[in-house]
Structure formats: structure tokens, C-alpha cells
Amino acid sequence: MITYKRCAETNEDAMFEAFQTGFSDYIIKIQMTKELFMKHFFGAEGNCLEYSVIAFDGEKPVGLNLGGIKVYEGIKTLRCGALCVHPDYRGTEVSNRLFDYHREIALENNCKQMFLEVIVGNDRAIRFYEKKGYEKVYDIVYYSHNDPSGFNAALPDGYVIKRIDMNGLRSLCSQIQDIHINWQNDFDYLSQIDAQVHYGVFQDKNMIGGLSIHPSGRINFLWVDPGSRNKGIGRGLVSHAVGELNPGKLAVSFPNNAALMGFVKRLNFIKDSISQYEMYNTL
């Protein structure tokens, strides 16, 4: 008999077993320890034990749906942070029931929308989500640069780059309200990442741009005020960070942003084969 529990009612070992088994044949190979799983999915990813559901067949974990709630771009949102089902239980009612509980959680908490990301090419999952009322809204693309050591671009006169803290980066919120930032690049997410480095670019005392980057080379946020674009400021920000952090490669992801796409192409970033859809379900 299949039973379902909120993850707050079970233990880390059961959740990790469900995760490992459910993603054992995933498109992308996922390998992590239980400690890293808990830190990542219930830290930066923003999932909550009370909003997550696990399925059992007797004592055996056979399915998991992680959920996190926050006000995302002004709308109270329940995000599906991971959905997985044991290979032997796919095609049964387990995934349907997990998502029924997921929707109940959204309604219980007065969420106005549900949201998730799915890898392009995972057609079975996409069809399942569409049947559950989700629609594709944004495309997330990934780019990388394998030789950033050649970056050497100075800022134009009158601008200076300084390291800033997370509050300094958040001060840009009012200026970027019309820009969609995907969940894994937004400020709440960045504030949970260990060792993340933030830079601001200033003209006089005014911050007119910002960059958030991990020392490994993963760029999560890059923005320059529209009135100061096409002057080499973005290139100068990236070059400054590369000079300080010396990453072996650079990686960046973003949804539907023609300006950023043109920028990374001009810096000779290469588009990765992986991409994702952001799908939404309005409640």
C-alpha cells in the first residue's frame, strides 16, 4: 500500500534514498552526499520539509516532491524543487498523487501560482506537467567560457569597481523590477551560497551596475543600467572578477534576455547543450 507523508514527518535517510533512486537514471548524472543534499535542497534551493511530500510502499521510499514557498516577483509562489519516482513505480499513480498533495499545499498557503523548471528534451515530464495545468513561459539557456584568463578589459574613465555585500547587491532591486530573473539566480538564492562574491560598479557615488559570481566561475547576476550600456562596463566587471578570482572557466545561465545573450556571445561564450523551460500554473 502506498502512503504519503510530509517530509517533516519522516527522516533524512528516507528522503535521500527516495532522491537517489528517483534520479538514478536522470538525463544529468547527480551524485551528492546526504549532507550536501540536505544543505543544497533545503538551503539555497528554498525547499521546506513541511511543503515537501514523500511516498512509501510499506517502509520503502518510492517517490519525492520537494516544495518551497516564497513571494517570487511579487506573487506568492509554490515551486517544485524536485520531483522523482522510483523507476519501478513510474506509470502508477505515485507521481499524480505527489502532485495532488503539492497543489493542496499551494492552496492551503494561499499561493497564487505554482512553478517549476524542467530540462528541454525530458518530454515525458513536460507532458505530465502540461496535463497538470502547467505552461511553458520562459527558456533558460546556459553558456560557458573555457579560457577566461584572456579577459583583460578596463573600465571607461569615470567608473570604479568595488566589492559589495549582499545588501549592497539587493539595493539594485528597485531598478531591475521589469527584468525576469530565474529562481536559481535571484537574490534570495544568492544570499544562501557560500563564498559568493558581489561587485558594484560606481559612477561618482551612484551604483550603476552589479555582478555576483562564485569563485568557481559561475556568474549568477550581471546587470548594468540601460543608460550606461555599450561602454564596456559589463566586460570590465567580468574582467575585474576574473583577475581577482582566477577561475578556470566561466558559466552563466539566464532566461529570455536578448541583451545578455548578445553580451556573452561577444565575449565568445559557447552555448551549452542543456537548456530548461520555466513552467507556471496559475491558481
Side-chain angles (χ1 to χ4, degrees):
M1 178 180 176
I2 308 296
T3 58
Y4 301 85
K5 295 181 179 180
R6 299 285 177 101
C7 287
E9 303 173 59
T10 187
N11 57 68
E12 295 179 5
D13 289 337
M15 289 186 291
F16 186 55
E17 182 180 341
F19 175 81
Q20 280 191 307
T21 307
F23 280 107
S24 60
D25 57 352
Y26 194 49
I27 295 172
I28 299 173
K29 195 67 176 176
I30 301 176
Q31 293 181 322
M32 61 175 62
T33 64
K34 181 180 70 175
E35 291 70 24
L36 183 57
F37 163 74
M38 293 300 298
K39 180 179 180 180
H40 178 70
F41 282 97
F42 294 95
E45 286 287 324
N47 299 297
C48 176
L49 294 173
E50 186 57 40
Y51 303 145
S52 303
V53 180
I54 185 169
F56 290 92
D57 186 356
E59 298 296 319
K60 181 171 71 173
V62 297
L64 184 69
N65 192 347
L66 303 182
I69 293 176
K70 73 175 182 181
V71 177
Y72 182 51
E73 298 186 330
I75 301 173
K76 193 171 186 181
T77 303
L78 173 65
R79 173 183 179 248
C80 173
L83 171 68
C84 59
V85 175
H86 189 296
D88 295 343
Y89 292 78
R90 293 174 192 162
T92 69
E93 282 299 301
V94 172
S95 56
N96 276 312
R97 293 295 294 137
L98 285 170
F99 247 82
D100 288 344
Y101 283 111
H102 190 65
R103 182 182 176 86
E104 285 179 16
I105 290 167
L107 296 174
E108 285 171 7
N109 289 276
N110 299 311
C111 294
K112 300 303 180 185
Q113 67 181 8
M114 299 162 67
F115 158 75
L116 55 82
E117 303 98 342
V118 60
I119 290 178
V120 175
N122 191 352
D123 296 333
R124 180 175 180 173
I126 292 168
R127 288 194 298 270
F128 172 78
Y129 296 138
E130 288 175 337
K131 287 179 181 177
K132 291 296 181 182
Y134 285 79
E135 297 179 83
K136 302 171 193 172
V137 177
Y138 294 104
D139 301 288
I140 303 177
V141 292
Y142 292 78
Y143 283 82
S144 57
H145 196 297
N146 292 322
D147 186 24
S149 61
F151 286 10
N152 186 18
L155 285 176
D157 291 341
Y159 298 91
V160 62
I161 295 172
K162 300 177 184 178
R163 283 206 187 194
I164 58 175
D165 61 15
M166 192 65 223
N167 287 333
L169 193 71
R170 284 186 185 273
S171 69
L172 294 172
C173 283
S174 62
Q175 301 177 64
I176 60 171
Q177 289 182 351
D178 61 338
I179 298 172
H180 173 63
I181 300 176
N182 58 302
W183 185 284
Q184 293 173 325
N185 284 335
D186 77 359
F187 292 157
D188 290 338
Y189 196 99
L190 298 187
S191 68
Q192 298 291 321
I193 301 177
D194 293 339
Q196 193 79 5
V197 181
H198 316 298
Y199 297 95
V201 58
F202 295 82
Q203 184 180 33
D204 298 323
K205 295 183 178 180
N206 300 315
M207 187 163 66
I208 54 88
L211 169 70
S212 183
I213 181 172
H214 191 269
S216 64
R218 186 183 63 250
I219 297 171
N220 294 91
F221 177 82
L222 175 62
W223 178 84
V224 175
D225 182 89
S228 299
R229 291 177 188 169
N230 301 310
K231 298 179 180 180
I233 293 171
R235 184 187 294 262
L237 268 169
V238 174
S239 178
H240 182 91
V242 167
E244 280 200 355
L245 304 176
N246 194 30
K249 65 177 293 185
L250 293 174
V252 63
S253 61
F254 50 87
N256 296 65
N257 190 316
L260 261 179
M261 183 173 67
F263 174 79
V264 298
K265 284 186 173 182
R266 286 191 292 273
L267 265 61
N268 296 317
F269 279 71
I270 302 299
K271 188 177 182 181
D272 297 338
S273 58
I274 193 89
S275 59
Q276 291 179 295
Y277 295 126
E278 287 186 336
M279 302 184 73
Y280 290 78
N281 185 350
T282 302
L283 299 174

